[in-house]
Amino acid sequence: METRFYITTPIYYPNGEPHVGHIYTTLCADVLARYHRLRGDMTHFLTGTDEHGIKMVKTAAEQQVDPRTLADRNVAIFESLWRELHISNDDFIRTTSDRHKLGVAKIVDRMLASGDIYLGGYEGWYDEGQEEFVTETAAKDQAYKSAVSGRALVRYSEPTYFFRLTKYVPAVLEAIESDRLRVRPEARKNEVVSKLKQGVDDLSISRSSLSWGIPMPNDPKHVIYVWIDALSNYVTALDDDRKKLFWPADVHLIGKEILWFHAVYWPAMLMSLGMDLPKEIFAHGWWTSHGKKMSKSMGNFVGLEQVREKVATYSLDGLRYYLLRAAPFGNDLDWTDADLVKTFNELANVLGNCLNRTIKMIGKYCNGVLPPAAPSEAGDLQLIARINETQVAVDAAYSAIALQQAAMLPVELARATNVYIDSTEPFKLAKDPEKLSRLHTVLNLSAQAISRALLLLLPVLPEKASQGLAQMNIVVKPGEWQKTLGELLPAGHTLGEGQPLFPKVL
Ligand code: MSP
């Protein structure tokens, strides 16, 4: 049966320009989407923008424009950035679009009809940066400041509609604990479980003091709470055909500060609608700068300007590799320029060098034609085993969403190949006509190994790995990635020209 894969990013607030935090999640989702497309899975990758809520209204007021103008301006920047960074999303949903607004109104109508939404009154604290209601106890513990941005909480008091979240808590808990809904990393799952066990109130889902939002279908004086509006995007973006094909989502990729909304509110909403739960929610860590979360509100982020500068210097794939390589996926990551240089040099010295010397030697000693192999020595067999192990390990890394591993393992294969070349010394073998068969074996196996590394890197370094494969004259036909990975390069295969993949940065 054909496998389907539906992956989403959070929809971002367009109250400012995107920064490296947004880029990170989107790139990671792009890597996963590319991997699944290469495997031949029918893949759908969704991203978009979350344009309602008080945060947008306040930023718009500060900039003396209306929220729609602010949204339009920044959404254009998000959309063109994703093109510029070659993000392979299949769709882009705006919460101000008709398809979304109609979809949300339908969702809320169904919840009203089933009695899961009722009218009450809310009096309590609100974190405007997070667009989150905060309980009295939590507010007190946080000294009445946002746990994320540190900004003062705001007191709200108004009539509001509630969603019967409490009714679904036992089922949500069961789904998470049993892994029917996988919440990852495990440590974050445990945090959600223990917070759920402490008890949860029904959720206020409308605001009468705000007009920038989707009106409650039964009572347009109220607008729908921005998180109910936002979470719905994962299904409002799918028309009926796509819903049949792609729902439930395979992975909602998000940052850790919004896990609660995704792991608790969203499954409860879906249960109320009688819809299947997503299979996995993966909450990655934060990019920090000197240990502090990078964010628009803190003003300490690596912004667009800097990202563009890094791409110009280190290439798009150099940036992708740095972002993925920086920490085990799920952990916080600290940006330093020194690490960026170090990881770029790793690509140049390990991957680029391995490719280059292999092509050069085959050019010099065999006229660019792959010689046959007769593996006999322990080192040969170890390298062959390493090639096979790496392929298995990379698949395992992708299924566990261990993206740092997925990126590094093929580069480590190139490193092992360099060690193999250093220790077998083909340049010496070439001087001795009696060692011709050894020379051929070493060159053949090196070519097998580096071509595997490049093939496995296609999701991570789409441009550089393709260029490297082109230098080896390897063509991956659509839908034949796995087949190509499973076959050895035949002796007699003619290689192309070697060019530095990662030209040195001076
Ligand atoms: N609009 C909500 C999400 C709704 S999803 C139904 C929102 N938007 S946001 O613009 O604030 O984006 C938050 C997301 O951006 C995080 O979950 C994460 O994916 C990414 N990041 C923002 N800052 C980040 C870091 N400093 N580090 C890593 N990712 C971060 O929340």
Side-chain angles (χ1 to χ4, degrees), residues 244-258:
K244 256 187 236 132
L245 278 177
F246 293 116
W247 192 259
D250 291 85
V251 191
H252 292 314
L253 208 60
I254 56 169
K256 65 180 179 181
E257 81 287 6
I258 58 174

Side-chain angles (χ1 to χ4, degrees), residues 9-15 19-26 49-51 55 78 129-130 226-227 229-234 253-258 262 284-288 292-296 301 333:
T9 72
I11 47 171
Y12 305 109
Y13 294 126
N15 63 329
H19 62 71
V20 77
H22 310 119
I23 293 174
Y24 179 61
T25 318
T26 312
T49 41
D50 183 2
E51 305 177 26
K55 195 169 161 139
F78 271 91
Q130 280 282 96
V226 67
W227 272 100
D229 165 349
L231 289 162
S232 305
N233 91 88
Y234 302 129
L253 208 60
I254 56 169
K256 65 180 179 181
E257 81 287 6
I258 58 174
H262 283 80
H284 66 66
W286 284 343
W287 276 94
T288 60
K292 286 226 162 72
K293 182 185 187 241
M294 282 186 196
S295 70
K296 274 183 256 192
F301 54 82
L333 321 98

